[in-house]
Amino acid sequence: MRHIPNKFDIKLSRRSALLGLGGSAMIATSLFTTNSLAAEPVANSTSVDDNSNPLNAPDFEILNNSEWRSMTNQQWRERLNKSSYNILRKEATERPYSSALNDEKRDGWYACAGCGQILFTAKQKYNSGTGWPSFVDAIPGRLNTKPDRKLFYVRTEYHCSRCGGHQGHVFNDGPKPTGKRWCNNGDALVFVPKETLS
Ligand SMILES: [Zn+2]
């Protein structure tokens, strides 16, 4: 495991690259130290397409999948603030209405606060009234689920497909068209405003 710096340039490869269409950009960010993406586009950056199609969501690559999965608890502790660590690595749940992302209405994307993988588009977000950022759908392939038996009934837990960080639970009481409510901890996410990457 190589040292992971506190600040780095993140290689941004759009989902379209996976489809063989190419396209990448470099952005500088303090994503993992401030839990907010105050990135400024730098030279060689490319514009990001309209995000109405979730498959156009960008993807941040710093480490590869196996490197993320081999991170130790100590490394995660050094990387994340306490709340994000407890949620992402210990499956804690933040207090409802505690996250500023509840009221976030700008266009953009929601990235995993652990590894930067973008999980949701702003267009997938809706106000569920639960006090947690909620989404009617997620970007395909970026979340995995598993049964959670911690309560007296079984819930469906979901986590980032790249770093394994716990994000929240998905329920079947959401609005159309999916009927799903992806109930996410705000401190497990970082909002990436669209203008940051345009
Ligand atoms: Zn992640």
Side-chain angles (χ1 to χ4, degrees):
M1 172 61 65
R2 65 175 180 261
H3 174 69
I4 302 165
N6 288 329
K7 293 192 176 187
F8 22 48
D9 289 339
I10 292 179
K11 183 176 183 184
L12 174 67
S13 66
R14 290 162 48 186
R15 186 73 170 180
S16 56
L18 300 178
L19 303 175
L21 302 177
S24 65
M26 296 291 294
I27 60 172
T29 179
S30 55
L31 174 64
F32 300 107
T33 52
T34 64
N35 211 19
S36 65
L37 187 66
E40 292 294 330
V42 296
N44 301 322
S45 67
T46 58
S47 65
V48 176
D49 286 345
D50 171 25
N51 66 351
S52 59
N53 181 354
L55 292 178
N56 286 335
D59 188 17
F60 299 102
E61 293 179 351
I62 302 166
L63 307 177
N64 65 36
N65 283 21
S66 62
E67 287 173 318
W68 284 116
R69 295 295 180 139
S70 64
M71 293 259 295
T72 65
N73 278 342
Q74 183 56 36
Q75 286 174 309
W76 281 116
R77 251 189 221 101
E78 292 167 0
R79 183 177 192 75
L80 302 168
N81 66 40
K82 190 174 182 193
S83 175
S84 297
Y85 173 82
N86 286 337
I87 294 164
L88 287 161
R89 309 314 306 177
K90 299 297 180 185
E91 298 195 7
T93 298
E94 71 192 12
R95 284 184 300 106
Y97 299 101
S98 64
S99 170
L101 293 186
N102 277 307
D103 299 321
E104 180 58 66
K105 292 182 172 60
R106 288 174 290 170
D107 201 1
W109 296 271
Y110 292 84
C112 172
C115 72
Q117 174 168 237
I118 292 191
L119 308 177
F120 302 98
T121 72
K123 289 182 173 59
Q124 293 170 327
K125 188 170 186 281
Y126 77 103
N127 183 2
S128 67
T130 61
W132 289 283
S134 301
F135 302 85
V136 70
D137 206 355
I139 296 171
R142 302 198 181 177
L143 292 169
N144 293 329
T145 63
K146 73 173 196 293
D148 178 351
R149 304 177 196 283
K150 283 200 267 311
L151 299 183
F152 63 89
Y153 62 97
V154 179
R155 294 176 295 171
T156 301
E157 183 271 357
Y158 64 89
H159 49 274
C160 173
S161 63
R162 184 158 67 186
C163 71
H166 169 69
Q167 292 289 330
H169 293 85
V170 58
F171 303 93
N172 292 318
D173 57 8
K176 293 178 180 177
T178 66
K180 300 291 184 187
R181 172 169 58 95
W182 297 79
C183 184
N184 217 101
N185 290 282
D187 281 354
L189 294 171
V190 173
F191 177 64
V192 184
K194 187 180 178 189
E195 60 266 24
T196 305
L197 301 180
S198 301

